Amino acid sequence: LGMSGCYTLLGGLIRKRVEEDAKTLFGFIALAAAFLTLAVPLQLRAHGILLAWAVEAPVLLFLGYRFGYFPVRVFAFVILVLGAMRLFTMHLPLHHAYFTPLINPSFLSAMSVPVAGWVFAWIHSRHGKKAKVADSILMEVSAIAAGFVAIMVLSAETAGWIALGRDPDSTAARVLWPAHAGVAVCVAGAASFLAAGIYWRRLASR
């Protein structure tokens, strides 16, 4: 974290004193972001890594707009993707025993990824005048992907609660009820995508 702070400071000095030296500025910012990203898994465990990356991505995006530097905005998207990959490779299934639905650390940390995606898209939309074409694409991709991730997490949470809250030897517990719960969540998700697409006039969402 100290190294990340030093490189951030050096990047700020380069931007003030030698503004035309874009390569050096990019190098310092890339190193600062890399050290910050590496610090997370070194210091945190389990849900902490996921939460830290989910927070880091929107913060980096904001800084990328604040200092007018597009590569930082792309790197912020990469961090968001890393968080989603960690969710699907390290955190699912969310539960292995009976749990309180929705109000539990596993679900809340998993939902931090789609929430970060929506905040990511919102920051893009708030800086439309500074955005490039690629920024607009990243905004749509992050918003829609966040919706899909939220549907998957909610479906897993609902189906898991129904399955783990019933007789484990029951066929209905293992197959029928979780399947019905997943369908219900997907229907609600489809309606949400459609409503958002109509409200914001986004063909991709529809």
Side-chain angles (χ1 to χ4, degrees):
L1 289 173
M3 292 294 291
S4 179
C6 287
Y7 281 122
T8 301
L9 178 62
L10 289 170
L13 290 172
I14 286 290
R15 185 172 175 79
K16 267 190 175 181
R17 302 290 295 275
V18 198
E19 191 173 349
E20 67 276 8
D21 191 356
K23 288 184 178 179
T24 303
L25 175 61
F26 172 72
F28 282 135
I29 292 177
L31 284 167
F35 275 108
L36 179 61
T37 305
L38 286 171
V40 173
L42 287 174
Q43 294 299 323
L44 300 176
R45 296 291 181 269
H47 303 302
I49 298 174
L50 192 65
L51 289 169
W53 282 346
V55 171
E56 183 182 351
V59 170
L60 279 177
L61 178 64
F62 173 78
L63 293 175
Y65 274 116
R66 174 68 179 80
F67 296 104
Y69 207 58
F70 177 69
V72 174
R73 303 201 291 269
V74 174
F75 193 81
F77 183 75
V78 171
I79 298 298
L80 193 62
V81 172
L82 283 175
M85 290 174 61
R86 179 175 178 83
L87 170 62
F88 287 108
T89 57
M90 304 290 289
H91 290 258
L92 292 179
L94 296 176
H95 308 282
H96 300 282
Y98 185 74
F99 59 95
T100 303
L102 304 183
I103 308 174
N104 60 80
S106 295
F107 174 75
L108 294 176
S109 64
M111 281 301 293
S112 69
V113 174
V115 169
W118 289 322
V119 173
F120 195 90
W122 178 78
I123 293 172
H124 271 301
S125 69
R126 296 287 293 178
H127 295 83
K129 293 180 180 178
K130 300 179 183 178
K132 299 176 181 284
V133 174
D135 287 313
S136 299
I137 294 172
L138 292 179
M139 179 183 71
E140 291 229 10
V141 169
S142 61
I144 291 174
F148 276 111
V149 173
I151 290 169
M152 291 177 189
V153 172
L154 283 166
S155 181
E157 179 80 353
T158 307
W161 178 62
I162 292 172
L164 295 171
R166 293 171 176 269
D167 181 2
D169 297 324
S170 167
T171 302
R174 288 184 287 108
V175 180
L176 186 59
W177 284 103
H180 287 173
V183 170
V185 172
C186 287
V187 170
S192 300
F193 271 120
L194 180 60
I198 293 172
Y199 183 80
W200 282 292
R201 299 180 181 180
R202 294 285 181 178
L203 177 62
S205 183
R206 299 199 299 273

